[in-house]
Amino acid sequence: MKTKWIVPTLYIIFLLLPIYWLLNMSLKNNTEILSVFSLWPQDLTLDNYRVIFNDPSWYSGYINSMIYVSINVVISVSCALPAAYAFSRYSFLGDKHLFFWLLSNRMAPPAVFALPFFQLYSSVGLFDTHLAVALAHCLFNLPLAVWILEGFMSGIPKEIDETAFIDGYSFPKFFVKIFIPNIASGIGVTAFFCFMFSWVELLLARTLTSVNAKPISAIMTRTVSASGLDWGVLAAAGMLTIVPGALVIWFVRNHIAKGFALGRV
Amino acid sequence: MIQKQVNQKAWFMVLPVFLIVAFSAVIPLMTVVNYSVQDTFGNNVFSWYGLGWFEEIIHSPRFHDAFLRQLLFSGIILAIEIPLGICIALAMPKKGWGVPVCLVTMALPLLIPWNVVGTIWQIFGRVDIGLLGHTLAQMGINYNYVQDPLAAWLTVIVMDVWHWTSLVVLLCYAGLCSIPDAYYQAAKIDGATRLAVFRYIQLPKMQRVLLIAVLLRFMDSFMIYTEPFVITGGGPGNSTTFLSIDLVKMAIGQFDLGPAAAMSLIYFLVILLLSWVFYTVMSNVGEESKGGH
């Protein structure tokens, strides 16, 4: 049984090494990065992080990303809840086709949509707003949210609904008071996934923004090409993009495995 | 399986989702269709071009090459990540403090923005400042992902394994956790070997999640853009120019709207066909496993 630990341990080391290397670089100054090859910082410095936290053009990127990700999570979860309920409980005209059509959008390559999105959101005056990115990310997050929630909801026996209606609950009251608490973990997992896919996406977010809503990941790429490769700051910015994800995982760690199976284990 | 009630009013519950997705999907798609059948000479003057672009794309070696590279890439990714993911999931602890540690660290790469994943590996693989590149150079291995196509491919593949194997692990782990202990006890009484337990208890239980894993990994690797773009920019030469990279190059780099739109549609149809297969297979497996109980 002891040997069983070797495989996950090796795998975790493999996962953490590149991240450690980024952390290591973010704590060095540029001369040290380029001149000395060392496994840990010889001359520990937090200057790179200081640069980011003192420059609005840097830290506004984090705020922008947070704003559009939050808008997207709220839209996705609140719209997907009733839709997922409908898919899990009722059959209606064209339900299977609709479900498949929704899923096919999850499979649509963002590269296909980049340019048309730019034109669409420019023409409705949403270009360079947080709402534009949030709506664009709904393209793949909404179907995913419906899919996961439908999986979780199908696991709730229908008797619960029927009993509640017999007890005289109205539909909205039943939905909020009884049904939502029953799938609370499912909602948490769905929100987590919407957060995740909106947070990691760059192509659409970059195409749809120029200044006011520019995400942190796009600001990073710009700085790499423009200011002659400031490795330390780049590494620090990268480290900071990992932090929100790590925090969010901690909250859903008990349900994450079931969530990845889309609530269908 | 829940007996579903026929209720046309359910459409009202689906309506918000329908409208938002239609706004973000149908209108842009129509724009693409519109471009794909027209030719432009600049100044926003467009003329009808029929199916010319489609014929051109289907017969262009550039598209064939990108398509083959894409298939090869997705094939390699699946061949590595699925078996590796199963092995790791089987070896993961089932209880104790190891569980949250494994879950959290393994999920970490999934939540890193894709271009940061690219940046991490770009730095990690550099011969001058990266741990991997430097170590390989010290060992006397000639490794340079900027110039050598093979090294570029290896870097992109290892990066994808690093990035996405955890998805397979977590899915399989979820499948394994749903197996009741009684199954294992019964197997023990029967004197089943480790292999038999895997073949007759664990694998069937993982079948559903494995399907999700295979198909999600296939689709996502088929659409990969940001990570290889950051690491290699599609180079050296065209050696890591996958479909999405080629498409963006054509549409935004060269502004060849017509061919790019035609290529988008072909690309999208391929994905649509695949997701249809996915959907059918998934629902069939779902019916079977439910019928079996």
Side-chain angles (χ1 to χ4, degrees):
Chain A
M1 275 317 268
K2 276 275 170 246
T3 52
K4 239 188 157 184
W5 284 91
I6 294 173
V7 180
T9 313
L10 282 180
Y11 180 62
I12 286 174
I13 292 173
F14 167 64
L15 290 184
L16 291 184
L17 259 186
I19 298 178
Y20 168 72
W21 197 248
L22 194 72
L23 176 70
N24 179 18
M25 261 179 65
S26 73
L27 296 172
K28 295 175 178 179
N29 57 41
N30 272 321
T31 10
E32 195 188 331
I33 293 172
L34 293 171
S35 59
V36 198
F37 188 86
S38 57
L39 291 178
W40 52 85
Q42 308 288 319
D43 181 18
L44 195 94
T45 169
L46 287 173
D47 281 349
N48 298 320
Y49 290 95
R50 230 166 263 142
V51 169
I52 292 173
F53 284 117
N54 287 327
D55 182 354
S57 73
W58 268 110
Y59 67 71
S60 68
Y62 287 99
I63 301 172
N64 289 335
S65 295
M66 286 298 183
I67 296 176
Y68 74 69
V69 169
S70 314
I71 300 178
N72 176 272
V73 170
V74 171
I75 298 179
S76 299
V77 173
S78 55
C79 292
L81 269 173
Y85 184 81
F87 280 120
S88 79
R89 291 296 193 261
Y90 301 121
S91 74
F92 46 95
L93 189 67
D95 52 352
K96 292 216 169 67
H97 299 284
L98 186 64
F99 200 64
F100 173 67
W101 173 70
L102 284 176
L103 280 188
S104 73
N105 288 307
R106 166 67 183 79
M107 319 297 180
V112 170
F113 285 104
L115 190 67
F117 266 1
F118 172 74
Q119 295 173 322
L120 173 66
Y121 287 106
S122 303
S123 65
V124 294
L126 280 174
F127 178 71
D128 202 19
T129 60
H130 302 106
L131 189 61
V133 184
L135 277 178
H137 285 176
C138 279
L139 175 70
F140 45 84
N141 269 353
L142 256 183
L144 188 75
V146 173
W147 203 15
I148 299 179
L149 281 174
E150 200 264 337
F152 274 93
M153 286 179 182
S154 298
I156 306 273
K158 216 184 168 194
E159 284 71 34
I160 292 195
D161 310 29
E162 283 156 2
T163 323
F165 293 137
I166 291 168
D167 289 349
Y169 277 90
S170 67
F171 182 77
K173 205 174 162 199
F174 150 76
F175 202 75
V176 176
K177 283 256 167 83
I178 298 180
F179 200 69
I180 288 187
N182 260 311
I183 50 156
S185 61
I187 295 177
V189 167
T190 312
F192 166 76
F193 276 88
C194 293
F195 170 91
M196 166 176 158
F197 283 107
S198 185
W199 179 254
V200 298
E201 207 280 337
L202 171 77
L203 182 60
L204 292 179
R206 193 186 57 188
T207 316
L208 291 176
T209 53
S210 62
V211 186
N212 294 326
K214 208 169 180 61
I216 179 59
S217 29
I219 289 175
M220 277 178 66
T221 48
R222 181 199 61 191
T223 311
V224 176
S225 55
S227 68
L229 302 177
D230 191 342
W231 290 112
V233 177
L234 177 70
M239 276 317 290
L240 289 174
T241 62
I242 300 179
V243 174
L247 289 178
V248 177
I249 300 175
W250 184 254
F251 287 113
V252 293
R253 65 187 183 284
N254 293 325
H255 304 290
I256 196 172
K258 195 177 177 201
F260 274 106
L262 308 171
R264 283 175 171 73
V265 177
Chain B
M1 182 131 199
I2 292 175
Q3 199 61 47
K4 285 183 191 173
Q5 200 181 325
V6 178
N7 184 349
Q8 303 301 346
K9 282 187 194 130
W11 256 100
F12 288 108
M13 302 173 93
V14 189
L15 204 60
V17 169
F18 178 76
L19 288 178
I20 292 177
V21 177
F23 177 74
S24 329
V26 177
I27 300 177
L29 201 62
M30 284 302 114
T31 322
V32 176
V33 172
N34 193 20
Y35 281 134
S36 71
V37 291
Q38 299 188 64
D39 196 4
T40 176
F41 305 100
N43 303 328
N44 275 329
V45 182
F46 287 90
S47 61
W48 174 252
Y49 197 65
L51 293 176
W53 294 128
F54 288 93
E55 278 167 26
E56 206 165 290
I57 288 290
I58 286 182
H59 293 122
S60 90
R62 176 175 163 182
F63 179 72
H64 292 171
D65 289 352
F67 194 80
L68 283 179
R69 270 194 292 271
Q70 187 70 71
L71 275 182
L72 182 65
F73 178 74
S74 293
I76 295 178
I77 288 302
L78 283 181
I80 299 177
E81 289 182 5
I82 300 294
L84 186 65
I86 296 177
C87 288
I88 296 165
L90 285 173
M92 258 171 78
K94 292 273 174 324
K95 44 185 166 287
W97 58 269
V99 178
V101 172
C102 281
L103 287 179
V104 172
T105 44
M106 285 181 189
L108 200 56
L110 301 172
L111 275 133
I112 302 176
W114 293 344
N115 69 315
V116 179
V117 172
T119 311
I120 289 176
W121 279 89
Q122 191 194 22
I123 292 172
F124 199 58
R126 277 178 70 106
V127 179
D128 51 348
I129 57 171
L131 184 61
L132 177 71
H134 193 82
T135 315
L136 286 177
Q138 291 291 308
M139 287 158 69
I141 297 167
N142 187 14
Y143 166 83
N144 186 339
Y145 66 81
V146 187
Q147 279 155 16
D148 179 12
L150 185 67
W153 264 81
L154 283 177
T155 313
V156 175
I157 286 170
V158 172
M159 178 210 66
D160 202 81
V161 169
W162 179 82
H163 191 183
W164 287 111
T165 305
S166 298
L167 180 75
V168 184
V169 175
L170 291 170
L171 277 167
C172 291
Y173 184 69
L176 287 175
C177 283
S178 71
I179 303 175
D181 269 345
Y183 283 40
Y184 293 114
Q185 284 156 11
K188 214 173 197 175
I189 294 167
D190 289 346
T193 59
R194 184 74 199 76
L195 198 68
V197 170
F198 176 71
R199 173 66 189 82
Y200 295 105
I201 298 178
Q202 293 172 323
L203 201 59
K205 273 281 175 185
M206 280 197 293
Q207 192 190 17
R208 250 168 95 76
V209 280
L210 265 182
L211 246 169
I212 302 179
V214 169
L215 291 153
L216 274 182
R217 274 320 296 133
F218 184 76
M219 316 262 166
D220 286 345
S221 64
F222 214 76
M223 302 193 271
I224 192 167
Y225 170 79
T226 313
E227 303 95 314
F229 180 77
V230 172
I231 297 187
T232 63
N238 271 333
S239 58
T240 52
T241 302
F242 300 117
L243 277 178
S244 277
I245 298 181
D246 204 22
L247 183 60
V248 174
K249 253 187 205 168
M250 207 189 275
I252 294 170
Q254 299 158 236
F255 232 73
D256 284 336
L257 291 183
M263 184 174 157
S264 296
L265 285 178
I266 296 171
Y267 191 8
F268 190 59
L269 285 178
V270 171
I271 298 257
L272 203 64
L273 183 73
L274 293 170
S275 37
W276 179 77
V277 172
F278 177 17
Y279 186 68
T280 330
V281 172
M282 275 277 293
S283 31
N284 282 347
V285 169
E287 299 299 311
E288 264 168 42
S289 68
K290 264 153 198 158
H293 287 296

